[in-house]
């Protein structure tokens, strides 16, 4: 429960991050965009929470040729996300 810690953006060597259905609240910290810089994280699951705001910072091409394998969120109403692969 609670917000996603901005320090999660400092995690290294992840292939995927599963934060789904944890009653998380607030905005997704922009620091999570750093996970793309390493090019390791291919999938992030944020669905099933009470997050708000935008994930568009996750859509910027920080790494040329990078595409999310899976980027899932509650982006039907709660979160704006142009590059999410699945919206709930």
């Amino acid at each position: 429960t609670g917000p996603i810690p901005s320090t999660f953006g400092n995690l290294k060597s992840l292939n995927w991050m599963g934060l789904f259905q944890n009653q998380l609240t607030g905005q997704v910290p922009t620091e999570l965009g750093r996970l793309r810089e390493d090019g390791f994280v291919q999938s992030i699951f944020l669905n099933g929470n009470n997050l708000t705001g935008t994930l568009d910072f996750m859509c910027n091409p920080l790494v040329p040729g990078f595409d999310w394998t899976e980027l899932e969120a509650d982006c039907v109403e709660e979160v704006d996300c142009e590059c999410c692969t699945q919206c709930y």
Side-chain angles (χ1 to χ4, degrees):
T1 62
I4 298 172
S6 61
T7 55
F8 279 17
N10 296 327
L11 297 173
K12 303 293 181 197
S13 301
L14 295 176
N15 290 318
W16 65 278
M17 177 180 281
L19 301 177
F20 51 94
Q21 299 189 10
N22 282 294
Q23 299 176 349
L24 298 170
T25 58
Q27 295 189 354
V28 176
T30 57
E31 289 84 357
L32 285 188
R34 287 191 292 222
L35 295 173
R36 294 186 64 192
E37 293 174 10
D38 291 336
F40 294 117
V41 176
Q42 297 294 311
S43 303
I44 296 181
F45 304 95
L46 300 169
N47 51 298
N49 292 295
N50 295 309
L51 299 169
T52 59
T54 181
L55 291 177
D56 288 345
F57 62 90
M58 302 289 274
C59 304
N60 295 330
L62 299 174
V63 177
F66 180 90
D67 288 318
W68 289 106
T69 302
E70 295 172 283
L71 177 57
E72 299 184 4
D74 299 315
C75 49
V76 173
E77 294 181 18
E78 293 88 353
V79 176
D80 294 324
C81 183
E82 293 183 13
C83 63
C84 282
T85 59
Q86 181 70 45
C87 291
Y88 296 90

